[in-house]
Amino acid sequence: MPVVSTTELSRRRQDILEGARRCFAEHGYEGATVRRLEEATGKSRGAIFHHFQDKENLFLALAREDAATMADVVAQEGLVEVMRELLSHPERHGWFATRLEIATLLRTDASFRERWRQHQAVLDQAVHDRLTRNAEQGRMRTDVPVDVLQTYLETVMDGLLTRLASDRPTDGLHAVLDLVEDSVRAQN
């Protein structure tokens, strides 16, 4: 049996993740059957589960990757900017569909909910750190605790994701995000 390089294994793993992301986006978690995952990734069941123990671990790997990507953007530009970018270019954000599936699984699967908390902590910490830094620099209002501002912004994000998922009109949402941003900034 030929030895496969680490680079090739990594490329195969990434190919699986990209195909799985499309499959989960199109069919949802429950609808992403092994057969559909095989078709979407172009890999066999054995190859998929060589890299990921099962469908849940594959999905969690996607969710973890997406949370890390979002955390990087939040750390640099803030959660409102993540929302602006999502609103302007939803096609660039494969994590969008993953996030919707996560919301469903959090509500319906206690085991998944417990495992997800570890991954969500990365994003939560990035948002908290960004808000704290902005408050310390006088750019964020200080009359409301950072934890409350974080919950507020995350609630707005959840609402935006729900609105986009329901295919409702997005007219005026940029103005809503302006309002949200103004509401958390320091008033001079």
Side-chain angles (χ1 to χ4, degrees):
M1 178 179 261
V3 175
V4 179
S5 72
T6 304
T7 303
E8 178 60 18
L9 285 173
S10 180
R11 186 191 62 74
R12 289 178 187 178
R13 185 180 193 281
Q14 195 57 43
D15 288 348
I16 292 168
L17 286 170
E18 289 172 17
R21 182 183 315 284
R22 288 187 306 273
C23 187
F24 286 124
E26 184 177 346
H27 301 288
Y29 181 82
E30 293 302 325
T33 62
V34 173
R35 183 183 55 75
R36 284 180 171 157
L37 286 167
E38 287 175 319
E39 290 171 4
T41 63
K43 306 286 186 222
S44 70
R45 167 186 319 242
I48 294 168
F49 296 126
H50 167 77
H51 292 278
F52 305 94
Q53 181 181 350
D54 54 26
K55 183 169 88 168
E56 184 176 300
N57 279 301
L58 173 57
F59 185 78
L60 279 169
L62 281 172
R64 187 172 37 252
E65 189 177 86
D66 294 347
T69 299
M70 249 178 95
D72 289 344
V73 175
V74 165
Q76 296 298 313
E77 301 177 35
L79 191 56
V80 172
E81 191 55 39
V82 169
M83 290 185 261
R84 286 185 196 287
E85 176 65 17
L86 177 60
L87 185 57
S88 296
H89 303 285
E91 73 283 355
R92 293 183 190 166
H93 302 285
W95 59 263
F96 167 66
T98 306
R99 192 76 182 178
L100 295 172
E101 286 299 313
I102 289 168
T104 299
L105 289 170
L106 290 174
R107 186 175 50 80
T108 61
D109 186 333
S111 170
F112 179 85
R113 186 172 36 251
E114 189 54 40
R115 293 176 71 194
W116 173 246
R117 284 187 181 140
Q118 301 163 26
H119 305 299
Q120 182 62 36
V122 171
L123 181 57
D124 290 346
Q125 191 62 52
V127 173
H128 189 270
D129 291 350
R130 170 83 179 185
L131 291 171
T132 300
R133 246 187 345 269
N134 283 346
E136 290 168 352
Q137 294 170 356
R139 296 170 38 201
M140 186 73 52
R141 62 188 299 169
T142 56
D143 61 324
V144 178
V146 167
D147 291 342
V148 172
L149 292 174
Q150 182 169 352
T151 300
Y152 167 62
L153 290 173
E154 290 169 352
T155 302
V156 171
M157 175 73 150
D158 290 343
L160 177 66
L161 291 172
T162 300
R163 187 165 190 107
L164 291 173
S166 65
D167 211 23
R168 292 171 60 199
T170 59
D171 301 343
L173 287 182
H174 284 285
V176 169
L177 292 178
D178 290 342
L179 181 64
V180 169
E181 195 165 45
D182 288 345
S183 71
V184 297
R185 284 197 176 150
Q187 305 299 316
N188 297 338

